[in-house]
Amino acid sequence: MVADRPSPMEAKLVNELPVEPGWQYEPKWDGFRALVFRDREAVDILSKSGKPLGRYFPEIAALVASVPQERFVLDGEIILPIADILSFDALQARLHPAQSRIDRLAKETPAQLMLFDCLGVDDADLINAPLSARRKALESFHARHARAGLPAVAL
């Protein structure tokens, strides 16, 4: 498993998109970038700057804790769809000191976790693996746990 807390991959500003083979493109999600760590009973959700987010998104922490896989590190984005749009304002409203407000908002407008990358599963540290191998690990992780009847995290 991943020994150190990695930083999420970040988009880089360029004048033109690369045209060489092997590039993958992802849409820009209007959310909070997050690294998700599960080590048996311990669940940590950290922002890209390393600040804990689990307290503000108890529904995401509960989802992660419910996954039968006991050890993993995933890179993704916490998003909050309202009607047909992703609401960054609704996400920001979660960053509130009152736990009662956070719990109410988690029930009224639950957030979702959009996954991009699998950085580790069980004892396998995938940080230095090629993106194609990490993507395959992520798709396998998702398929395995979606079959278990868990609420799906998006890919």
Side-chain angles (χ1 to χ4, degrees), residues 87-128:
S87 176
F88 191 75
D89 290 339
L91 279 174
Q92 286 184 310
R94 290 290 193 88
L95 304 180
H96 195 275
Q99 191 63 49
S100 59
R101 177 179 171 167
I102 293 167
D103 292 342
R104 179 179 54 80
L105 291 173
K107 288 183 177 104
E108 290 175 2
T109 54
Q112 297 176 5
L113 181 60
M114 179 66 63
L115 297 176
F116 304 142
D117 206 346
C118 180
L119 305 178
V121 176
D122 293 328
D123 291 327
D125 181 344
L126 301 174
I127 292 237
N128 294 316

Side-chain angles (χ1 to χ4, degrees), residues 46-108:
L46 302 178
S47 71
K48 65 182 177 182
S49 65
K51 293 183 179 162
L53 293 173
R55 173 185 183 277
Y56 304 110
F57 299 96
E59 71 277 33
I60 301 289
L63 173 64
V64 171
S66 73
V67 173
Q69 188 89 36
E70 289 191 333
R71 297 183 75 218
F72 55 85
V73 179
L74 303 172
D75 181 4
E77 187 129 350
I78 297 172
I79 57 174
L80 210 158
I82 296 185
D84 291 335
I85 62 166
L86 298 179
S87 176
F88 191 75
D89 290 339
L91 279 174
Q92 286 184 310
R94 290 290 193 88
L95 304 180
H96 195 275
Q99 191 63 49
S100 59
R101 177 179 171 167
I102 293 167
D103 292 342
R104 179 179 54 80
L105 291 173
K107 288 183 177 104
E108 290 175 2

